[in-house]
Amino acid sequence: EVQLEEFGGVVVQPGGSLRLSCAVSGFSFDEYAMHWVRQIPGKGLEWVSFISRESETIYYADSVKGRFTISRDNIRKSLYLQMTDLRPEDTALYYCAREMAVPGLPLDYWGQGSQVTVSS
Amino acid sequence: IQMTQSPSSLSASVGDSVTITCRASQTISRYLNWYQQKSGTAPKLLIYAASNLQSGVPSRFSGSASWTNFTLTISGLQPDDFATYYCQQSYKTYSFGQGTKLEIK
């Protein structure tokens, strides 16, 4: 069974840093590109970042570029999001998601999300 | 790439057919996916590459494309279908539409 589980969400002060982790199981992690997507409670989905299978290609949303860093460890079957210079508008539920290698590049499996709250 | 989804909310009855539209600000070929999200849960993939039904998704869900306009149609609404729906483009990086909340009339 494919499973993704996020860890690391906490309350942090503005300007602070945080690292989210996503542990996966039930599939060959190194065969899939991965994403982070966030959602402010009661609001829509916002794509955050993408990393290819061997980390050779990385993309970020403009809203987080220069502040967030995505990475992965294929041996540990884990995805990470290092978040720095956090702002109140970064408060959201952060999901990790797997990208299918099919036309459209959809996200077929998602974790349950990890809540990040940026507040003083 | 901006994705404009409409309507933002929609009321319908069980058994109705509804259509949700997503317009891209530029060509995205068929790099358009649709998701369903219920309160308190992660999004669920319904349709990929504009018109391909994800495994396990009921056939009452369908998608179509015409240039930069994409539609999700639900034929014969079931109680389980009342949720929020999002489109997502993956042609140039990635972005989501604003969402459409489908409510029971």
Side-chain angles (χ1 to χ4, degrees), chain A residues 1-72:
Chain A
E1 179 188 6
V2 171
Q3 291 188 326
L4 296 82
E5 186 172 8
E6 301 90 344
F7 300 93
V10 292
V11 178
V12 60
Q13 291 189 339
S17 299
L18 183 63
R19 188 174 87 154
L20 297 180
S21 301
C22 171
V24 312
S25 60
F27 66 99
S28 298
F29 182 61
D30 59 1
E31 293 182 2
Y32 291 86
M34 299 293 295
H35 294 251
W36 288 100
V37 176
R38 69 185 181 183
Q39 185 170 36
I40 297 171
K43 302 296 184 182
L45 300 169
E46 180 187 13
W47 173 77
V48 173
S49 186
F50 160 89
I51 187 166
S52 60
R53 292 181 299 171
E54 296 295 334
S55 307
E56 69 273 22
T57 302
I58 287 174
Y59 300 124
Y60 298 100
D62 288 344
S63 57
V64 306
K65 198 173 296 181
R67 301 187 298 122
F68 290 11
T69 302
I70 191 172
S71 63
R72 64 190 293 163

Side-chain angles (χ1 to χ4, degrees), chain A residues 35 39 43-45 47 50 95 99 102-104 106-107 110-111, chain B residues 31 33 35 37 41-43 45 48-49 54 86 90 93-94 96:
Chain A
H35 294 251
Q39 185 170 36
K43 302 296 184 182
L45 300 169
W47 173 77
F50 160 89
Y95 294 103
E99 180 181 287
V102 298
L107 308 181
W110 299 60
Chain B
Y31 284 81
N33 309 305
Y35 301 85
Q37 187 180 34
T41 68
L45 176 65
Y48 64 93
Q54 170 68 345
Y86 295 92
S90 53
T93 64
Y94 307 82
F96 289 89

Side-chain angles (χ1 to χ4, degrees), chain B residues 7 12-13 23 31 34 39 48 50 70 86 94 97 105:
Chain B
S13 301
R23 177 180 299 172
Y31 284 81
W34 290 98
S39 182
Y48 64 93
F70 300 84
Y86 295 92
Y94 307 82
K105 186 182 289 184

